[in-house]
Amino acid sequence: MSDTPFGFGLPPEEPEDGDEGKKKDQQSGGGQGPANPFGFGGLPGAGGFGAPGADNPFAAMFGSLNPNDLGAAFQQLGQMLSYEGGPVNWDMAKQIARQTVSQGTSDGVKDASIGPSERTAVQEAVRLADLWLDDATSLPSGAGTAVAWSRAEWVEATLPAWKELVDPVAERVGTAMGDVLPEEMQAMAGPLIGMMRSMGGAMFGTQIGQAVGVLAGEVVGSTDIGLPLGPAGKAALLPLNIESFGKDLGVAQEEVRLYLALREAAHQRLFAHVPWLRSHLFGAVEGYARGIKVDTAKLEDVVGQFDPQNPEQLQDALQQGMFQPEDTPEQKAALARLETALALVEGWVDAVVHAAAKPRLSSADALRETLRRRRASGGPAEQTFATLIGLELRPRRLRDASRLWASLTDARGVDGRDGLWAHPDMLPTASDLDDPDGFVHREQLDFSELDKMLGEAASGSGSGSDSAEKPKLTKDEEEKGDDSE
């Protein structure tokens, strides 16, 4: 992955060694170095136009071109440069994601339409999963419907959530690119800034499209990464990816599907009945975006020597990572909150699903461990999103969180455990994951005091605040009070 988050690098120069350089460039995925993760080295005339590989966005957009396709290619290139929408070109992102999906996964498995039998199998698995979960959690079912998606359908259904995640970060970076320039320089570089923003939208759109397309070949549902990516109340599974997931596990396909349905249905319960949770997670990403600052040290060096007739100076500075966001305390705090929240979500789902599956599925332990390792390993798509928005989609502390939720179940029961989701301030913190036993016992005492306080407040609410604060006097004490007056 790139060392320059957000990838505001520009195309490199024409290779000096002619055709041989072009061949090498194509073989290395566009010849991009760490400063150019978006792979815009495949521009027409640079010898890599249409070269294969995920590092070349033009390959994703246009495929392998022949001379007859150049007209259409340049037309799309013109549309990219003339883009005047938001911080991310989502039309381009959707197009590239769909094309990535249509190419199939690295193991050669192509996307396919969902048949009636697969839809029925998913619906039955989710229905049975919800019945099992009734014994493992006090939260009622959150899945109004159960659907089976193809990879392309997953892309279509989840793009609105990705837009909500990525737009705040891309918007902040785009604004910063213009704000850091002095007014007189902005006037001179106006057209260049406009082009930069159009290219920025295209760059984000390309990178997001490629990553979503790759991720569509990996996920088995709508909540795999701990975030609610699909429509509310709709439990979704991807039969094709479930088949690939269970291929070499030695577990019956029905058990694999049912275990994954348990996880999807558990996520749906949590997000449906903890109304603040979704905004809490997405708000942490927005908090990160607000903390983005631009390192202007390189820009200040360029400004004093800037020659309007030589815009290549600014291009060179961009390619060297001038606009790489700083790692601010605000960003660290927002990401820490997000990482902890994701760990708590995934830990709760892990604990609840295990409680529901263990007595009923002989493969429960094996499937649990397989999913834990799968989430811990990550993949290229997760790394891409980590670069784009600084978000680790696979929480590092899943096991710690799962252990804490299990301890809470033993100490306080299912109702007491699930009651912690009533408010974000009641949830364990990152330090609590280090000392789960201390949190369990401390919170048990705190809750008894809280219940007492709430009861006193409720009993005194009808007679004013004074009656709630003063102790009730006996008849003799009242008479003494009257005599003293």
Side-chain angles (χ1 to χ4, degrees):
M1 279 302 299
S2 162
D3 294 331
T4 304
F6 309 98
F8 287 100
L10 296 182
E13 298 293 334
E14 177 87 15
E16 294 182 358
D17 46 354
D19 292 337
E20 288 300 315
K22 297 177 186 179
K23 293 178 181 177
K24 294 177 183 177
D25 189 57
Q26 290 179 345
Q27 292 172 355
S28 61
Q32 302 306 310
N36 190 358
F38 291 94
F40 276 77
L43 288 170
F49 200 29
D55 289 338
N56 187 340
F58 293 99
M61 284 187 286
F62 305 129
S64 299
L65 295 179
N66 57 55
N68 295 329
D69 297 326
L70 285 178
F74 280 112
Q75 182 179 5
Q76 292 193 42
L77 180 59
Q79 293 173 353
M80 179 183 72
L81 294 176
S82 62
Y83 172 71
E84 297 179 353
V88 178
N89 189 331
W90 287 103
D91 289 337
M92 178 178 292
K94 178 179 176 180
Q95 177 186 359
I96 292 176
R98 291 294 299 264
Q99 291 178 356
T100 302
V101 164
S102 68
Q103 294 169 4
T105 51
S106 58
D107 57 0
V109 177
K110 300 280 188 178
D111 194 20
S113 300
I114 303 299
S117 61
E118 292 173 315
R119 297 186 189 280
T120 300
V122 166
Q123 291 169 354
E124 291 178 350
V126 172
R127 189 181 303 114
L128 181 57
D130 257 335
L131 289 175
W132 289 5
L133 288 172
D134 285 340
D135 297 331
T137 173
S138 61
L139 299 181
S141 174
T145 57
V147 296
W149 283 342
S150 66
R151 292 166 179 170
E153 288 173 324
W154 183 90
V155 168
E156 295 280 352
T158 61
L159 273 180
W162 290 121
K163 186 176 189 297
E164 190 175 349
L165 275 170
V166 177
D167 267 355
V169 182
E171 176 68 36
R172 182 68 187 92
V173 173
T175 301
M177 288 175 64
D179 290 347
V180 294
L181 299 178
E183 288 188 16
E184 60 274 13
M185 188 174 179
Q186 290 186 28
M188 291 185 293
L192 176 60
I193 293 176
M195 185 185 72
M196 286 164 50
R197 287 178 174 167
S198 294
M199 290 294 291
M203 289 174 179
F204 269 110
T206 300
Q207 191 81 336
I208 289 292
Q210 290 173 343
V212 168
V214 172
L215 199 56
E218 301 176 0
V219 296
V220 294
S222 70
T223 55
D224 274 32
I225 61 174
L227 293 168
L229 297 180
K234 184 175 288 188
L237 295 176
L238 281 72
L240 183 61
N241 291 355
I242 290 176
E243 183 179 352
S244 297
F245 171 79
K247 185 177 180 181
D248 300 320
L249 296 182
V251 178
Q253 189 72 16
E254 293 77 12
E255 287 198 18
V256 174
R257 184 192 303 113
L258 184 52
Y259 192 87
L260 297 176
L262 281 166
R263 290 185 53 83
E264 179 73 11
H267 278 102
Q268 293 294 335
R269 289 186 181 223
L270 193 59
F271 287 113
H273 300 290
V274 182
W276 56 265
L277 183 56
R278 187 183 191 281
S279 59
H280 179 74
L281 293 171
F282 282 70
V285 178
E286 292 183 12
Y288 168 79
R290 288 193 299 269
I292 290 177
K293 295 182 180 179
V294 177
D295 182 5
T296 60
K298 294 181 181 178
L299 178 60
E300 291 173 356
D301 293 338
V302 174
V303 168
Q305 306 175 10
F306 180 73
D307 180 1
Q309 297 181 350
N310 186 20
E312 289 80 8
Q313 289 179 326
L314 184 58
Q315 294 178 5
D316 292 341
L318 284 170
Q319 190 171 354
Q320 294 168 12
M322 179 192 301
F323 295 118
Q324 181 171 349
E326 297 175 356
D327 194 9
T328 65
E330 293 84 1
Q331 287 170 294
K332 288 182 178 179
L335 291 179
R337 288 194 302 270
L338 182 60
E339 184 183 58
T340 301
L342 281 173
L344 291 174
V345 167
E346 290 304 285
W348 183 87
V349 168
D350 180 76
V352 167
V353 168
H354 185 69
K358 177 70 172 175
R360 299 175 174 96
L361 292 179
S362 59
S363 59
D365 289 333
L367 289 171
R368 184 191 202 188
E369 188 61 29
T370 299
L371 282 163
R372 282 180 166 184
R373 292 179 179 178
R374 183 175 186 254
R375 290 188 62 80
S377 63
E382 286 79 15
Q383 294 167 12
T384 296
F385 288 119
T387 299
L388 285 172
I389 60 178
L391 169 61
E392 293 291 342
L393 296 178
R394 300 181 185 270
R396 297 177 298 174
R397 308 206 61 182
L398 168 61
R399 293 177 188 269
D400 295 334
S402 180
R403 194 176 302 115
L404 185 145
W405 289 118
S407 298
L408 282 168
T409 307
D410 294 339
R412 303 185 51 204
V414 169
D415 291 343
R417 177 202 66 199
D418 293 347
L420 289 175
W421 291 105
H423 192 276
D425 291 344
M426 297 167 66
L427 288 177
T429 63
S431 59
D432 292 325
L433 295 180
D434 296 327
D435 183 20
D437 291 335
F439 174 82
V440 170
H441 298 302
R442 182 176 71 252
E443 285 298 306
Q444 195 168 11
L445 293 175
D446 289 347
F447 269 92
S448 64
E449 291 299 319
L450 179 61
D451 291 340
K452 182 178 177 181
M453 292 169 60
L454 291 176
E456 291 175 352
S459 63
S461 60
S463 56
S465 58
D466 290 341
S467 62
E469 295 175 2
K470 295 181 180 179
K472 188 175 181 180
L473 300 178
T474 65
K475 187 175 181 181
D476 291 339
E477 288 172 333
E478 289 177 352
E479 292 175 352
K480 282 185 180 181
D482 292 339
D483 291 341
S484 64
E485 291 176 356

